[in-house]
């Protein structure tokens, strides 16, 4: 009976390990990283809310900044450090490797070591232990099982937590976290393909009523040659127009001037005539 | 008279061992929960920003008047973050403009960030408050404000001539506090 229970625990641990490794090693998309990072940042003006789950102006600004930094290729730890420098350590929701992080590693390891130690110690006691009554063992065995289960569960949870922290993690895991709330960036980044393309993401932001964030994403891209620059210029002009920016007219005129045969040029000319 | 039966010594020992093993786990869970709930960033009126004592973040962008502004160390600079939709900003701005005029020519610059605002509304707001000459860098998405660690509007920073943030105020700024901090920043420059 006891062997069967230990076998089940071992199989459970092995299963969790396999799942953890599979989840942790898949490269996250930019959308997933933005979702995850926004979920790790505390909304500084809210109570118990993450940046992902808040619609306050500061949270929206922070989401736009996370989106910009992810698009710029900065790592998760660089982005979180950037926010800590400005808002203090408490802006990050989960403990880091420098805070409580090491404890998260040490506790399951310690619990597992205790459990293994106890088993070995009891085995060494051999026959004397077997002669004791079943009543004497019922309770201790339950505690032992609880400690082992905690060790296995927390041991499996740690790599999942840290793989999400440092690599972005899977969409399923991210949606289980608080980031699943209705964050603007979360709701406005419908596909991974759009997220890897800042212009596409900006267009989605614009469609979702966030012209300011869209403008920020394409600001530096409008002068690029090729298709990216063309689309960035168009999105920039439309975003400026939506944000009542006086520069919108000149940006849209420039788009029409430089790309007179673009499929959107006719529509932009109409917009300019009506404004 | 009945004697209460206690658990066998072996079982008691095991129970104690298990409790000892569980205590650190429970403590850790408790600490993580406390940290994860309710804790908010310090928003006391002044001295709260972690930027104090560190290099000022970049401040660059298009201004409401259509020009370009780039902050460069060299003079004591007061950086104020505001928006036309913010009521305390409305009461604060005339004071800032008055102080800014006093500082002009005395090595103190006033630069502001107009955050998450429409250009038309913001320009009207400046006209209404008599602050048309104000250097107001546009921050339509709020990212400049976030770069300065701002949690709300208005907020005010005093940056010394070396580009180090020396003081920070949350809310409508107290002119006495601001004058004192500007003087202290100037004293650092000359010392």
């Amino acid at each position: 009976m006891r062997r069967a229970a230990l076998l089940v625990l071992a199989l459970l641990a092995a299963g969790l390990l396999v799942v953890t490794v599979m989840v942790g090693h898949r490269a996250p998309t930019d959308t997933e990283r933005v979702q995850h990072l926004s979920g790790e940042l505390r909304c500084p003006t809210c109570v118990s809310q993450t940046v992902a789950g808040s619609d306050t102006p500061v949270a929206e600004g922070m989401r736009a900044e996370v989106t910009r930094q992810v698009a710029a290729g900065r790592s998760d730890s660089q982005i979180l450090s950037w926010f800590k420098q400005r808002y203090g350590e408490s802006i990050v929701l989960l403990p880091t490797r420098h805070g409580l992080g090491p404890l998260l590693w040490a506790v399951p390891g310690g619990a597992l070591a205790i459990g293994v130690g106890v088993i070995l110690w009891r085995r060494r006691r051999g026959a004397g232990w077997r002669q004791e009554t079943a009543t004497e063992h019922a309770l201790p065995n339950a505690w032992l099982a609880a400690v082992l289960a905690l060790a296995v569960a927390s041991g499996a949870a740690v790599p999942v937590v840290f793989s999400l922290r440092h690599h972005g993690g899977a969409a399923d895991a991210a949606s289980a976290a608080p980031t699943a709330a209705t964050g603007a960036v979360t709701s406005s980044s419908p596909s991974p393909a759009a997220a890897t393309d800042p212009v596409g993401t900006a267009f989605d932001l614009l469609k979702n009523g966030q012209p300011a964030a869209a403008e920020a994403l394409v600001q530096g891209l409008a002068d690029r040659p090729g298709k990216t620059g063309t689309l960035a210029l168009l999105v920039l002009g439309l975003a400026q127009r939506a944000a009542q920016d006086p520069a919108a007219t000149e940006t849209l005129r420039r788009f029409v001037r430089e790309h007179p045969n673009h499929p959107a040029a006719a529509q932009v000319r109409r917009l300019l005539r009506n404004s | 008279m009945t004697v209460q039966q206690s658990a066998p010594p072996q079982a008691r020992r095991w129970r104690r061992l298990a409790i000892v093993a569980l205590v650190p786990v429970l403590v850790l869970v408790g600490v993580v929960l406390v940290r994860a709930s309710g804790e908010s960033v310090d928003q006391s009126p002044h001295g709260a920003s972690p930027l104090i004592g560190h290099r000022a973040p970049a401040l660059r962008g298009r201004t409401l008047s259509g020009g370009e502004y780039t902050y460069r160390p060299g003079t004591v600079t007061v950086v104020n973050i505001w928006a036309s939709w913010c009521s305390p900003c409305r009461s604060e701005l005339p004071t800032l403009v008055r102080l800014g005029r006093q500082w002009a020519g005395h090595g103190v610059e006033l630069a502001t960030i107009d955050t998450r605002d429409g250009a038309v509304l913001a320009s009207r707001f400046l006209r209404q408050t008599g602050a048309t000459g104000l250097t107001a860098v546009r921050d339509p998405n709020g990212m400049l404000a976030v770069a300065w660690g701002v949690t709300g509007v208005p907020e005010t920073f005093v940056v010394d001539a070396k580009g180090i943030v020396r003081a920070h105020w949350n809310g409508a700024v107290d002119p006495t506090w601001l004058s004192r901090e500007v003087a202290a920043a100037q004293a650092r420059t000359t010392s």
Side-chain angles (χ1 to χ4, degrees):
Chain A
M1 185 64 191
R2 200 162 60 87
R3 279 187 183 170
L6 282 173
L7 187 65
V8 168
L9 271 177
L11 285 174
L12 183 69
L16 283 170
L17 195 66
V18 168
V19 169
T20 300
V21 168
M22 286 172 70
V23 165
H25 281 194
R26 191 174 69 74
T29 64
D30 281 3
T31 305
E32 288 167 352
R33 287 188 61 205
V34 169
Q35 285 174 342
H36 172 64
L37 286 165
S38 300
E40 283 207 5
L41 290 168
R42 188 191 308 281
C43 165
T45 54
C46 317
V47 175
S48 300
Q49 263 193 305
T50 65
V51 162
S54 168
D55 288 328
T56 58
V58 66
E60 287 183 1
M62 289 169 79
R63 277 199 297 271
E65 182 60 36
V66 169
T67 307
R68 185 190 71 78
Q69 292 200 24
V70 165
R74 286 169 64 86
S75 73
D76 290 6
S77 58
Q78 282 176 322
I79 294 171
L80 292 177
S81 295
W82 189 92
F83 279 97
K84 280 191 220 168
Q85 282 166 9
R86 284 149 177 86
Y87 290 96
E89 289 283 330
S90 63
I91 199 69
V92 176
L93 203 62
L94 291 174
T96 64
R97 287 180 194 276
H98 304 293
L100 287 170
L103 267 181
L104 268 178
W105 289 97
V107 168
L112 195 61
I114 289 171
V116 170
V118 164
I119 288 170
L120 291 176
W121 179 63
R122 288 178 69 165
R123 281 204 173 162
R124 279 183 64 181
R125 292 186 67 202
W129 173 73
R130 281 189 211 95
Q131 283 163 10
E132 292 166 13
T133 65
T135 316
E136 283 174 320
H137 288 294
L139 194 57
N141 280 342
W143 280 108
L144 182 62
V147 171
L148 279 173
L150 256 174
V152 170
S154 48
V158 164
V160 170
V161 167
F162 276 88
S163 73
L164 288 175
R165 169 180 294 283
H166 295 288
H167 306 293
D172 289 349
S175 63
T179 53
T182 56
V185 170
T186 306
S187 62
S188 59
S189 303
S191 72
T196 51
D197 169 22
V199 180
T201 307
F203 193 59
D204 289 331
L205 287 166
L206 180 61
K207 282 192 294 185
N208 280 279
Q210 293 178 76
E215 191 180 343
L217 267 183
V218 292
Q219 198 98 54
L221 303 174
D223 293 326
R224 280 194 189 176
K227 196 178 167 188
T228 304
T230 307
L231 284 176
L233 185 62
L234 173 63
V235 174
L236 178 64
L238 294 174
Q240 287 172 334
R241 186 172 183 274
Q244 295 182 310
D245 187 337
T249 308
E250 181 44 41
T251 307
L252 290 173
R253 274 188 191 142
R254 185 183 147 202
F255 172 78
V256 173
R257 203 167 49 240
E258 291 179 7
H259 311 284
N261 298 321
H262 191 276
Q267 181 69 22
V268 173
R269 283 192 200 96
R270 265 197 299 278
L271 277 177
L272 286 168
R273 271 198 302 274
N274 295 337
S275 61
Chain B
M1 187 173 154
T2 56
V3 177
Q4 194 179 353
Q5 283 231 320
S6 59
Q10 178 84 3
R12 281 203 304 273
R13 205 161 58 239
W14 278 112
R15 208 177 305 165
R16 275 200 299 272
L17 183 65
I19 289 169
V20 168
L22 278 175
V23 162
V25 176
L26 294 174
V27 167
L28 176 72
V29 169
V31 169
V32 169
L33 285 177
V34 166
R35 273 177 62 99
S37 68
E39 192 182 331
S40 62
V41 173
D42 189 358
Q43 292 186 53
S44 54
H46 52 87
S49 173
L51 286 173
I52 291 174
H54 294 91
R55 189 156 290 283
L59 173 48
R60 182 174 53 239
R62 198 149 12 101
T63 63
L64 270 177
S65 54
E68 287 286 331
Y69 176 83
T70 304
Y71 163 73
R72 288 189 183 86
T75 57
V76 171
T77 305
V78 173
V79 178
N80 174 261
I81 297 94
W82 62 275
S84 65
W85 42 263
C86 147
S87 175
C89 302
R90 193 168 287 272
S91 60
E92 172 196 67
L93 213 53
T95 307
L96 271 179
V97 170
R98 179 176 56 79
L99 288 172
R101 283 181 188 137
Q102 284 176 16
W103 292 328
H106 293 86
V108 182
E109 188 180 359
L110 173 62
T112 72
I113 299 170
D114 172 32
T115 189
R116 298 191 66 83
D117 216 349
V120 174
L121 292 173
S123 298
R124 188 187 306 156
F125 174 76
L126 289 188
R127 279 196 303 277
Q128 287 169 347
T129 48
T132 42
L134 194 69
T135 301
V137 180
R138 294 207 56 215
D139 179 31
N141 45 52
M143 286 157 72
L144 263 182
V146 167
W148 281 77
V150 166
T151 55
V153 280
E155 286 192 26
T156 304
F157 294 84
V158 178
V159 184
D160 72 13
K162 290 174 186 159
I164 306 296
V165 177
R166 290 297 173 194
H168 168 233
W169 186 276
N170 258 322
V173 72
D174 174 359
T176 311
W177 173 87
L178 185 56
S179 299
R180 190 176 66 236
E181 292 298 336
V182 165
Q186 281 183 305
R188 278 176 188 275
T189 309
T190 51
S191 63

